[in-house]
Amino acid sequence: DSVDFHFSGTLTSPSSVPGCKLHIFSNDQIAFEAFEGVVKQPLKLTTTSKDTYAFNIRMAIPLDPGLYYYLIEDAKENTLFVQKFTVR
């Protein structure tokens, strides 16, 4: 089954942040260490104010029930944010 995934938020940075990506990983440690996620999606950023950028993604993702992690990285592959979520 597919999960309707809606992901939105803002990033704050003193410089432009082109090339940011969203990654979604299952709770599989080996896949995470190999950086083999279930989703890799560029983040389209919109400037909302000085140094603040918004993003909004909607997609259907085939995910089994379980624990997942999303990660946002910049163009230099620096991790900006990590959080977990559960599919029931």
Side-chain angles (χ1 to χ4, degrees):
D1 288 335
S2 288
V3 174
D4 292 325
F5 191 78
H6 181 208
F7 186 72
S8 62
T10 57
L11 297 173
T12 302
S13 175
S15 60
S16 178
V17 287
C20 287
K21 295 181 198 79
L22 167 68
H23 298 271
I24 297 177
F25 296 93
S26 68
N27 198 31
D28 179 347
Q29 183 70 28
I30 294 170
F32 179 76
E33 289 173 358
F35 217 71
E36 296 175 356
V38 295
V39 169
K40 179 180 178 181
Q41 175 78 31
L43 284 181
K44 181 179 178 184
L45 300 174
T46 305
T47 303
T48 58
S49 63
K50 184 178 188 282
D51 300 337
T52 304
Y53 307 88
F55 57 89
N56 187 6
I57 293 176
R58 286 184 181 269
M59 66 179 109
I61 306 171
L63 298 176
D64 293 326
L67 181 63
Y68 292 85
Y69 295 85
Y70 63 85
L71 179 148
I72 298 174
E73 69 175 4
D74 65 14
K76 295 179 182 177
E77 299 182 349
N78 296 311
T79 300
L80 303 176
F81 189 78
V82 177
Q83 187 61 270
K84 63 184 175 181
F85 66 97
T86 303
V87 174
R88 299 182 194 268

